[in-house]
Amino acid sequence: MSGAESLIGAVVLVVSLGVAAQLVADWLQIPSVAFLLVAGVLVGPQALGLVDPAIFGQAGLQAIVGLSVGIIVFEGAFHLTVERVREASREALGLVTIGAFVSLVGTAVAVKVVFGTTWPVAVLVGSLLIATGPTVITPIMQVVPVRDRVAAALETEGIINDVTAAILAVATFEFVIASQSSPVVVIEAFVARLAVGHVVGIAVGGGTALLLKRWHLSADNALQNARVVVLTAALLAYALGSMWLSEAGIAAAAIAGIVLGNAEIPHKEEVAGFKGGITLFVLSFVFIVLAAQLSLGDLRALGVGGLVVVIVVAALVRPLGVFLSTLGGRLTVRERMFVGGMGPRGIVPASVATLFAIELRPENPEAATVLVGTVFLVIFATVMFQGGLARHFAQALDILPMQTLIVGGGRVGRELAVRYESRGEEVVLIDSDEDTVERTRADGHRVVHGDATNATVLEEAGANRASVVVAATADDDVNLLVAQLATTRFDVDTVVARANQPDNVEAFEDLDVETISAGFAVADAIDDAVERPALAHWLSDSGRTGDVLEVELSNDSLVDRTIEETAEKLPNGCLVAMVSRNGTDRVPDSDFRLASGDHLTLVCETNEAMQDARRLCQGG
């Protein structure tokens, strides 16, 4: 078989394995990187010998890996919008500063102590393992529906630390291979590459955004042009940055992605989808080829020390860094524990470590073994265990929130969002009007722009995991169709629809959804203001700290207890006002005994007490 035919066969095999890994990962809801790594090792020279990375040549492999990493980093940065960062800006800032520093120092110390390497080599390993890239974090967040602030913090950290790790590792590597250099060279090289990346990235990203806007006015194939131009921009930013200063291309690609992702360019959503497909392709190819290069001898050479370093990095350094960097932020203790347990490493440390090892091995084989062995061992362990167990970990910590979808970002929808969010619920609004969307986002709410009568838009907003859908627009036809989709297609437990016209109430009730007639609601509010003024004032006061809660009793420890005994276990400021059993509502006396499945109506003075009471009644 000729060299060209061998190369074609290797490429086709790698691509096929990459597609298969993606399909299996989607089926099992586990990040595909785990399967890509295993597939690469199996087909590599150390196992079946079906793919030999040497067939690409050292220069060719470096070029392929470099451009692929540029595309991957660009694609992740493209989604790093201002709105996304704003969800967890304080936590993200801490993770990419304090958290990155703790990771660097902790990992370097562990490598130095366990393997007895020189400090420059230990710092090189620590630099690479700062990275928790979007290639492994994003797939986890797709199958673990944590609060948006948690996902935003993790994804922002992954994108920024990918760049930080790559540039810092390159700067450190220059010090490692230049025995006469001063440690100051590391700082100089880091700052220089970061500066070059910003200059090139802003120029390419800004120029591309202007070009797309101008083309959109006259081009017939605007969508196709936009896709090609954006992909070219990613490659151009990486190439120009790398030509100016080696490895500055990663920072340039990231900055260009951020600039374009926050610019108003035509066909932005379609471009993002197309670019995501390209990223999956190159990610699959590069990961398998890099894993095929991995020598099992490097892993065996680390021995027990390798496992010790992995445990220190994943179970000690990562949680400590997260704890210190998220002090005083919005994340709860349990959410901080989850973030501390999610530090999978991805494509950047794998690719950079492999290329460094090729250059380092002839002069210092021991350092090359420690470098590539430690990096890949940490990648394997964190991806397999943290990625595979992420959802179970989140469930054990009870941080998967109830999600409420509100269709309609008008005054009613926004007021509902404020009330639900004050109770600790995760709320997503959907509206088709761009001005309304911007106004609602400015108020701090999470909003999806689109037509909610389209099932795809509802799915994008998370209808398949919503516990409540509220159709609250001023258009009864829209509300009716949304309610129908929520009940029949997405099987949502609770669907509430606003009926603006009394004549339409019957049509809503035929769908077996909770219907709120606008006219009747006003009459009820007036009646409450007259007959129950104190309660009506308290419920309508937007500044109140408590609320009325209805929760199903599922905590066995409260079953068959009297109301008096239950009151002793409830948080201070909470009382049981009503019990609903088998469709019958009653105001219980102190001797009334509770049964499993009872619906308790609780009046709570504070939101914290309300949330604690909910967890108690549900067995949390």
Side-chain angles (χ1 to χ4, degrees):
M1 185 181 294
S2 68
E5 291 172 340
S6 298
L7 183 58
I8 292 173
V11 171
V12 171
L13 176 60
V14 169
V15 171
S16 301
L17 286 172
V19 172
Q22 295 289 349
L23 294 176
V24 173
D26 288 343
W27 177 47
L28 296 178
Q29 293 193 326
I30 294 175
S32 60
V33 175
F35 301 102
L36 296 174
L37 288 171
V38 173
V41 173
L42 288 177
V43 301
Q46 299 289 314
L48 301 177
L50 299 177
V51 175
D52 185 358
I55 197 173
F56 299 101
Q58 183 173 338
L61 182 62
Q62 288 178 337
I64 292 171
V65 171
L67 290 172
S68 299
V69 169
I71 292 174
I72 292 167
V73 170
F74 179 92
E75 198 270 338
F78 190 85
H79 296 283
L80 192 64
T81 60
V82 173
E83 292 82 6
R84 187 69 171 155
V85 174
R86 196 178 290 156
E87 291 287 343
S89 55
R90 180 169 181 174
E91 289 79 7
L93 179 61
L95 289 171
V96 301
T97 52
I98 299 173
F101 178 76
V102 171
S103 177
L104 169 64
V105 174
T107 304
V109 170
V111 171
K112 170 66 177 175
V113 172
V114 173
F115 299 124
T117 64
T118 62
W119 276 113
V121 172
V123 172
L124 178 59
V125 177
S127 301
L128 282 174
L129 291 180
I130 288 174
T132 58
T135 55
V136 283
I137 288 294
T138 301
I140 293 175
M141 295 299 96
Q142 289 173 346
V143 298
V144 185
V146 293
R147 293 191 187 281
D148 209 45
R149 65 193 183 207
V150 178
L154 283 167
E155 291 175 352
T156 304
E157 177 200 19
I159 294 166
I160 294 178
N161 277 356
D162 255 4
V163 177
T164 302
I167 297 178
L168 185 58
V170 171
T172 306
F173 187 67
E174 288 191 0
F175 177 72
V176 171
I177 62 177
S179 58
Q180 301 301 319
S181 295
S182 164
V184 178
V185 74
V186 176
I187 300 175
E188 293 176 345
F190 180 81
V191 173
R193 283 166 174 78
L194 203 59
V196 169
H198 275 78
V199 171
V200 173
I202 292 173
V204 172
T208 303
L210 291 175
L211 180 62
L212 287 172
K213 291 178 181 179
R214 188 175 298 273
W215 268 21
H216 182 56
L217 299 176
S218 57
D220 294 330
N221 299 320
L223 174 57
Q224 187 62 33
N225 287 334
R227 288 172 171 173
V228 174
V229 169
V230 170
L231 179 59
T232 303
L235 298 173
L236 182 63
Y238 178 82
L240 290 177
S242 299
M243 289 168 60
W244 190 342
L245 197 58
S246 65
E247 299 304 328
I250 292 180
I255 298 300
I258 292 173
V259 171
L260 270 173
N262 286 277
E264 292 298 327
I265 61 174
H267 309 292
K268 191 172 184 178
E269 294 182 3
E270 293 85 350
V271 168
F274 168 77
K275 194 162 43 55
I278 296 293
T279 299
L280 285 177
F281 179 84
V282 297
L283 172 67
S284 302
F285 184 86
V286 172
F287 243 124
I288 291 177
V289 172
L290 291 177
Q293 281 209 141
L294 180 63
S295 170
L296 297 181
D298 288 339
L299 298 182
R300 286 194 296 267
L302 299 180
V304 178
L307 297 178
V308 172
V309 171
V310 169
I311 292 172
V312 170
V313 170
L316 180 61
V317 174
R318 172 66 180 179
L320 177 62
V322 170
F323 174 77
L324 294 176
S325 59
T326 56
L327 283 173
R330 295 171 55 204
L331 301 186
T332 65
V333 173
R334 296 185 181 192
E335 288 171 342
R336 292 166 70 192
M337 291 173 63
F338 177 78
V339 174
M342 290 295 109
R345 274 61 174 186
I347 187 68
V348 166
S351 59
V352 177
T354 302
L355 298 179
F356 283 175
I358 293 174
E359 188 173 346
L360 194 61
R361 199 174 295 277
E363 300 294 331
N364 195 340
E366 184 179 344
T369 297
V370 170
L371 171 63
V372 75
T374 303
V375 168
F376 269 93
L377 198 57
V378 170
I379 291 173
F380 265 110
T382 54
V383 168
M384 297 297 289
F385 287 98
Q386 295 179 346
L389 300 176
R391 188 178 186 92
H392 302 289
F393 188 34
Q395 289 172 336
L397 291 173
D398 191 25
I399 61 168
L400 300 181
M402 293 174 58
Q403 176 154 300
T404 299
L405 255 60
I406 300 175
V407 178
R411 183 173 298 176
V412 174
R414 293 199 302 276
E415 177 61 28
L416 286 173
V418 169
R419 296 188 180 197
Y420 294 149
E421 287 171 352
S422 70
R423 299 168 188 162
E425 298 179 17
E426 189 81 355
V427 178
V428 179
L429 292 103
I430 308 174
D431 203 284
S432 58
D433 182 73
E434 192 168 340
D435 292 337
T436 301
V437 169
E438 291 302 319
R439 183 167 59 250
T440 307
R441 281 178 178 161
D443 290 341
H445 303 298
R446 183 182 171 194
V447 192
V448 171
H449 181 208
D451 182 2
T453 61
N454 186 330
T456 303
V457 174
L458 283 174
E459 187 172 6
E460 178 190 347
N464 51 357
R465 62 182 180 90
S467 59
V468 178
V469 170
V470 180
T473 75
D475 188 330
D476 282 355
D477 290 336
V478 171
N479 293 343
L480 190 63
L481 186 51
V482 168
Q484 187 175 22
L485 286 170
T487 54
T488 59
R489 178 156 182 170
F490 295 101
D491 195 25
V492 178
D493 292 336
T494 303
V495 180
V496 181
R498 170 186 174 185
N500 297 279
Q501 300 298 325
D503 294 341
N504 295 332
V505 171
E506 187 176 348
F508 283 98
E509 292 178 342
D510 288 342
L511 290 176
D512 195 24
V513 300
E514 189 69 31
T515 306
I516 306 298
S517 170
F520 294 156
V522 173
D524 287 342
I526 294 174
D527 185 41
D528 287 340
V530 173
E531 298 295 332
R532 295 163 287 277
L535 180 62
H537 176 73
W538 183 65
L539 290 175
S540 62
D541 182 8
S542 59
R544 72 180 188 278
T545 58
D547 212 332
V548 178
L549 165 72
E550 181 176 323
V551 61
E552 182 177 350
L553 181 64
S554 55
N555 186 349
D556 292 339
S557 68
L558 296 181
V559 172
D560 203 36
R561 288 184 178 271
T562 65
I563 292 294
E564 184 176 7
E565 293 170 334
T566 302
E568 295 176 357
K569 291 186 171 293
L570 287 172
N572 291 333
C574 283
L575 61 86
V576 181
M578 183 180 294
V579 178
S580 300
R581 179 183 298 171
N582 300 325
T584 302
D585 302 327
R586 67 188 71 191
V587 177
D589 57 28
S590 60
D591 296 327
F592 182 85
R593 292 190 176 274
L594 299 174
S596 179
D598 283 352
H599 283 253
L600 310 183
T601 299
L602 306 176
V603 179
C604 302
E605 286 184 345
T606 66
N607 292 327
E608 291 77 12
M610 182 178 64
Q611 292 170 17
D612 290 342
R614 185 199 300 274
R615 282 192 289 268
L616 173 66
C617 294
Q618 292 177 338

